[in-house]
């Protein structure tokens, strides 16, 4: 009897030990998973902070440009007078001296086409504040170094079509899509934002017509909706280039030097995603980010904000206009603005 009893005790202790080891193993696994999730969350929060800081630095550059040019905003795109049929330069090029990139500005030859060999080194400069840390540097036609890859697949970089140009994750906002309607039921029309598109065939910088009939470059005083309530730049991440069959050329909208990096916003935030035919290229250059739940935008006063992707489209369109409503909340009269800005 004593022999059998002494045998059972170690068996009980062994079974109990195995159960305890199992419970401890499960707890360790669970703690490890929670730790991984916490580290991932912290990393993404850090990346979001860097992204917001990038936009603030861009905002400082835009407002410094305004201060140096009697309150005028940089044009969203503009052409070299010497190359009227060339690739347009962008608002990013205009603010280079105001974001500590004077040397890059000095490298450009504005008597040459943007896509000339002479301008290739400057246009290929990686500028860190133009890149969201959460974006994918190897998506679409990006080459892993955040530059445009071998578009024509000939085994070498051809500057004349934009290969080697540095990419950007932030897009200039020219306004809402021209068919968007205000809350009062009128069409917003074209170029109702801050970083304006040039009119086709017009070599001069984009201009607006004031109610008194005089034309002028866009200035802070024209932003009647308020600088703190008007979006001028927004995330549109991981873009590169896509071939526009209608134009017969590569659209370099994912590069900071090209004037194609502006858009009239149509869809809601993160609604479109990346097109399957052009990985890394958002449809019509919409507001899109690699952050979960929304995207960062920059307001004309230099403040950055994370907007939820659930924001209603009508509200987003209103935020993309500089003069959609008067201070009393009523739309400006159609007669106040020329037909080509509607």
């Amino acid at each position: 009897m004593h022999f059998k009893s002494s045998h059972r005790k170690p068996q009980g202790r062994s079974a109990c030990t195995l159960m305890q080891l199992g419970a401890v193993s499960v707890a360790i696994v669970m703690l490890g998973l929670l730790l991984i999730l916490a580290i991932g969350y912290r990393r993404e929060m850090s990346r979001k902070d860097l992204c917001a800081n990038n936009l603030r630095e861009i905002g400082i550059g835009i407002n410094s440009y305004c201060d140096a040019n009697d309150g005028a905003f940089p044009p969203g795109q503009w052409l070299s007078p010497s190359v009227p049929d060339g690739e347009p330069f962008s608002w990013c090029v205009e603010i280079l001296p105001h974001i500590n990139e004077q040397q890059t500005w000095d490298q450009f030859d504005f008597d040459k086409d943007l896509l000339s060999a002479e301008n290739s080194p400057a246009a290929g400069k990686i500028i860190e504040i133009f890149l969201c840390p959460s974006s994918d540097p190897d998506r679409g036609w990006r080459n892993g170094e955040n530059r445009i890859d071998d578009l024509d697949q000939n085994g070498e970089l051809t500057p004349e079509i934009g290969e080697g140009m540095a990419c950007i994750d932030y897009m200039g906002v020219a306004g809402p899509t021209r068919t968007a309607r205000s809350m009062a039921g009128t069409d917003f029309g074209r170029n109702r934002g801050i970083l304006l598109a040039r009119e086709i065939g017009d070599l001069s910088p984009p201009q607006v017509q004031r109610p008194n009939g005089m034309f002028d470059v866009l200035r802070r005083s024209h932003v009647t909706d308020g600088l703190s309530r008007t979006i001028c730049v927004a995330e549109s991440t991981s873009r590169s280039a896509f071939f526009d069959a209608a134009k017969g050329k590569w659209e370099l909208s994912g590069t900071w030097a090209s004037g194609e990096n502006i858009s009239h916003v149509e869809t809601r935030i993160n609604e479109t995603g990346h097109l399957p035919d052009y990985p890394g290229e958002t449809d019509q250059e919409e507001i899109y980010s690699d952050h979960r739940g929304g995207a960062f935008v920059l307001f004309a006063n230099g403040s950055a904000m994370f907007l939820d992707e659930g924001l209603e489209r009508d509200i987003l369109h209103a935020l993309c206009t500089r003069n959609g409503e008067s201070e009393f909340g009523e739309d400006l009269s159609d007669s106040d603005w020329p037909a080509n800005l509607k």
Side-chain angles (χ1 to χ4, degrees):
M1 294 293 293
H2 277 286
F3 178 77
K4 290 181 180 178
S5 176
S6 63
H7 234 34
R8 288 187 189 122
K9 286 181 180 178
Q11 284 179 348
R13 288 197 297 270
S14 176
C16 181
T17 301
L18 289 174
M19 292 177 62
Q20 289 173 340
L21 286 174
V24 169
S25 297
V26 170
I28 291 173
V29 171
M30 293 298 294
L31 287 172
L33 290 174
L34 290 173
L35 181 61
I36 291 172
L37 290 173
I39 291 173
Y41 174 79
R42 297 265 320 215
R43 284 178 176 173
E44 175 55 18
M45 291 302 295
S46 177
R47 288 192 289 262
K48 288 177 73 173
D49 286 343
L50 286 172
C51 182
N53 285 334
N54 286 347
L55 279 171
R56 292 187 189 103
E57 290 295 318
I58 293 171
I60 289 172
I62 290 175
N63 278 282
S64 175
Y65 177 97
C66 290
D67 292 340
N69 290 274
D70 195 25
F73 287 96
Q77 55 181 202
W78 53 279
L79 286 169
S80 167
S82 304
V83 193
D85 57 347
E87 182 76 10
F89 290 85
S90 77
W91 57 274
C92 296
V93 175
E94 285 288 89
I95 68 171
L96 287 175
H98 304 277
I99 56 171
N100 298 318
E101 290 290 340
Q102 181 67 52
Q103 186 176 0
T104 307
W105 166 270
D106 292 338
Q107 287 181 324
F108 278 106
D109 184 346
F110 297 111
D111 289 327
K112 303 285 187 180
D113 185 15
L114 173 61
L115 301 183
S116 66
E118 291 84 352
N119 284 326
S120 180
K125 170 75 181 295
I126 297 294
I127 298 178
E128 292 300 327
I129 66 169
F130 288 163
L131 296 171
C132 171
S134 292
S135 69
D136 187 350
D138 196 23
R139 182 185 284 162
W141 289 106
R142 292 194 184 195
N143 65 3
E145 298 179 353
N146 284 306
R147 292 187 177 91
I148 300 297
D149 207 352
D150 187 9
L151 298 174
D152 56 10
Q153 300 290 286
N154 67 353
E156 59 184 31
L157 294 182
T158 308
E160 289 76 16
I161 61 174
E163 294 174 358
M165 293 181 70
C167 294
I168 187 170
D169 291 317
Y170 306 108
M171 169 188 75
V173 176
T177 181
R178 70 187 67 193
T179 57
R181 297 183 71 80
S182 71
M183 295 179 182
T186 59
D187 288 347
F188 279 125
R190 178 179 165 86
N191 272 349
R192 292 290 289 272
I194 299 292
L195 299 174
L196 307 184
R198 68 183 182 88
E199 299 298 331
I200 296 176
D202 187 358
L203 300 184
S204 62
Q207 295 184 323
V208 297
Q209 187 176 17
R210 301 167 67 181
N212 64 6
M214 298 294 291
F215 281 88
D216 193 3
V217 295
L218 181 64
R219 301 182 188 277
R220 286 172 173 146
S221 58
H222 299 143
V223 187
T224 56
D225 284 354
L227 297 172
S228 63
R229 296 189 297 275
T230 305
I231 298 171
C232 61
V233 178
E235 281 194 273
S236 191
T237 59
S238 301
R239 296 168 299 135
S240 51
F242 68 97
F243 189 77
D244 189 328
K247 295 180 180 179
K249 65 182 288 289
W250 286 93
E251 289 290 312
L252 303 167
S253 50
T255 67
W256 63 259
S258 171
E260 299 298 337
N261 181 36
I262 56 173
S263 177
H264 289 83
V265 175
E266 181 174 2
T267 67
R268 291 167 61 174
I269 297 169
N270 292 350
E271 179 178 347
T272 304
H274 293 298
L275 290 174
D277 294 337
Y278 307 108
E281 184 60 37
T282 52
D283 185 21
Q284 297 183 30
E285 305 305 302
E286 300 297 338
I287 299 178
Y288 178 89
S289 86
D290 287 292
H291 307 299
R292 179 175 297 180
F296 281 103
V297 299
L298 174 70
F299 290 94
N301 69 339
S303 63
M305 181 181 293
F306 189 79
L307 295 185
D308 191 278
E309 61 188 25
L311 184 70
E312 291 296 327
R313 189 169 65 167
D314 289 347
I315 297 176
L316 180 62
H317 287 166
L319 289 173
C320 290
T321 65
R322 65 182 181 273
N323 57 4
E325 296 180 347
S326 72
E327 59 181 335
F328 302 106
E330 299 172 351
D331 265 44
L332 293 173
S333 169
D334 285 357
S335 62
D336 289 340
W337 300 95
N340 67 340
L341 295 182
K342 294 180 181 181

